[in-house]
Amino acid sequence: MTDTDRPGGAAAPAPKGSTSRAGRDLPAAIGVGGTLGVSLILILVFIPEVWFGVVAVAIAVASWEVTKRLRDGGIKVALIPILVGGQAIMWASWPWGVSGSVVALAATVLVSMIWKLLSQGLQAAPENYLQDLAGTTLVLAWLPLMGAFGASMVLQDDGSARVLTLMIVVVCSDVGGYVAGVTFGKHPMVPAISPKKSWEGMAGSMVFGIVGAVLTVVYLLDAQWWIGLVLGPVLVICATLGDLVESQVKRDLKIKDMGTLLPGHGGIMDRLDSILPCAFVVWAILGALL
């Protein structure tokens, strides 16, 4: 999510028209977000086996967005290894679990090392080799590896419920942060990275996120309520930090959004920035406590 519409931001003057106080086209954002949310819920409830494909496509598009932005910013990441290897990382988790994704990641990084080494041919040394390889490895770990945790979770017992728990808690954190940030936000949290985030918004995210986690753990997973008390705060913090990471990357690249595919939202990556790290957290916590 972008730092201009991410919950936890302090109120900003509202431009004329339908633009929200956060600087976004609010009707378009609500329409797109609602459509995506309902579609994903229907998939998880009625055809969960399609979930892998949905996540794989989303990761491919997000990888393209991030790769293009990095290359435009002078970091020549390895496009083909990211797109092809990223899908290998995703799909390897279906038959072989997380270990399959880790092996695919290692193989893709190795290919990327050779790919960038020979990018100028055998007669010329590559420029900015370390920078480009580091950017390539970051993209692979940030998107397809984290995405593999979210995709493979659907194969576990109550897998659809676990994925829904992830989505619901993150949405609750978003809503709580937006409401509290716009209504009460006065004290910036990290102005150097995301000027619109406030401590009041963070408090709202924490309250809504914990309530959402407790309710989903009890009613979707039929588990002990205290697991929600563990999951909720960790997810809220993880979602906020995930958003800040993308905000800093965009700040370094001097861009507002990673893409333009989703009206009112930006690109696919601008929707996944907080969900991807949270997917790993939900996989780990629920795997340990359930």
Side-chain angles (χ1 to χ4, degrees), residues 17-32:
S18 60
T19 305
S20 74
R21 297 175 70 185
R24 295 284 172 173
D25 185 343
L26 191 56
I30 293 175
V32 171

Side-chain angles (χ1 to χ4, degrees), residues 182-244:
V182 168
T183 305
F184 306 109
K186 294 181 179 179
H187 300 88
M189 187 169 64
V190 280
I193 299 176
S194 183
K196 293 182 181 295
K197 287 194 181 300
S198 68
W199 286 109
E200 292 83 359
M202 182 64 178
S205 290
M206 191 64 71
V207 171
F208 276 57
I210 291 174
V211 171
V214 171
L215 292 177
T216 52
V217 164
V218 171
Y219 292 105
L220 285 182
L221 297 174
D222 193 26
Q224 297 294 320
W225 62 270
W226 62 266
I227 296 178
L229 289 182
V230 175
L231 183 66
V234 176
L235 276 189
V236 170
I237 294 172
C238 185
T240 302
L241 292 175
D243 177 53
L244 289 175

